[in-house]
Every structure is written in C-alpha cells, then in structure tokens.
Amino acid sequence: MGTNYQLELDHTIENLQREGQAPTLLLHSCCAPCSSYVIEYLSQYFRITVFYYNPNIYPDEEYVKRVKEQQEFIRRFPTKYPVKFIEGDFEKAAFYEMAKGLEQVKEGGERCFGCYRLRLEKTAQLAVERGFDYFTTTLSISPLKNAAKLNEIGMKLSEEYGVAYLLSDFKKRNGYKRSVEISKEYEMYRQDYCGCVFSMREREVQKNESEKTVSV
C-alpha cells in the first residue's frame, strides 16, 4: 500500500500547530491556477514565498503570461500571512539539455520526471540559500502529475541539501476541483497544456483526433 501523502501533511501541520509555529515555506509553483488552492490551504499554517521557476515553458509569450498571472493572483488573494514572490531565471537551455533523447517520450514519463527534478532541485537550492524551513511544489495538484514520484524526488533532495521537504498530494480532498473554482472566481488564465513544447504538441494531436471523432 502506498504512502498517504495527505495524511503525512496533516501530521506535519498538527505538530506545527501544537508547537504554535508558522514556519517559512518556499513553494515552487508551476502556474497561478495550480497554486490557488495550495496557497489558500497552506497559507493558514505557513509563511509562504512562491518561487516561479519553470524553464520548460513554451513559447516565451506563454511564460510571460503565466508569470504575470501568478503575481496578480498573489496580489489579489487574501491570506492569513502575506505571500511573497520570487521569479527564477528562465533557463530554457537547462530544460532542453535535460530533455535530450527524451523528446518522443509521452507526457507523464521519464522526461516529466527529469523536469520535476530540475525544478525541485532549484527550489531546494534556493531554500537552503535563503534559510527557508521547508520547500515543496504545487505540481501534485494536477491529476496528470505523479505525486509519488514528486515526493520521492523531494525527499531525496531534502537529504541531499539538508532542508525539510513538505510531503503532499494536493489533488486530494478535492484540491484540484477547488483550484478550478478559484480560477473561475478570479477569472484566471488557465492553459490547456502542461507548459513545454512537447506537451503542447501532444495536446494538439489529442484535440485534432477528438475533432475527427466528433466529425465522423
């Protein structure tokens, strides 16, 4: 039986509340819609800084659009503790170097796992550099993301860099559904592909096949 990451998070939060602590958390965010529920949930217990580091995003205009949407959501959304924002470098070359030889792998496979690590490692490095108590990512809120793999990578990086990783599976307890509700409420731009050129192409193929099926 697999680990119940939501239960692990519950235990962490219960312990923090018992001790009267509100630790600092560096939260890697893939986009504003995915961050919405996570911020609503975790900002009750943590002092959050959102770290936008996504060198996988394609094209450049999409990257700019997502950064602005993230900043605007943070500005507008009420939280118990103020949420801060850090934009990472848009290191496209690092993503394409990681993806070399994996271009044809379907979304959800090894290329995605490498992308998870690329982004989480940069988050762990910054967490250590800035003295954060914890780090984690919003990525597990997506039904298309592998929460077990994300947490596995996060825990390995925690050991490697000496900073606590917050175990999570934010899609649990209707987290994904709630993120969709908040996105609608705040009229957020919500993309229909993960972000990289490979996921965009795969999504276009799926849409074309769907349209052909409907026309038949």
Side-chain angles (χ1 to χ4, degrees), residues 35-41 43 71-83 178 182 185-186 188:
S35 76
S36 59
Y37 163 74
V38 181
I39 290 174
E40 178 184 63
Y41 175 29
S43 63
Q71 291 173 310
E72 182 65 10
F73 175 70
I74 290 170
R75 185 186 68 80
R76 294 176 62 199
F77 194 72
T79 54
K80 180 178 180 179
Y81 302 107
V83 175
R178 178 59 183 151
I182 298 173
E185 182 183 343
Y186 281 79
M188 276 192 270

Side-chain angles (χ1 to χ4, degrees), residues 3 16 40 42 73 101 118 155 163 169 174 177 183 214:
T3 303
L16 292 172
E40 178 184 63
L42 294 184
F73 175 70
L118 178 68
M155 290 304 292
V163 59
D169 187 357
N174 293 316
K177 180 183 177 185
S183 297
V214 171

Side-chain angles (χ1 to χ4, degrees), residues 10-30:
D10 288 344
H11 290 158
T12 299
I13 289 173
E14 285 169 11
N15 289 335
L16 292 172
Q17 287 189 295
R18 196 177 300 118
E19 295 165 6
Q21 295 183 32
T24 55
L25 169 67
L26 186 62
L27 174 65
H28 165 264
S29 174
C30 54

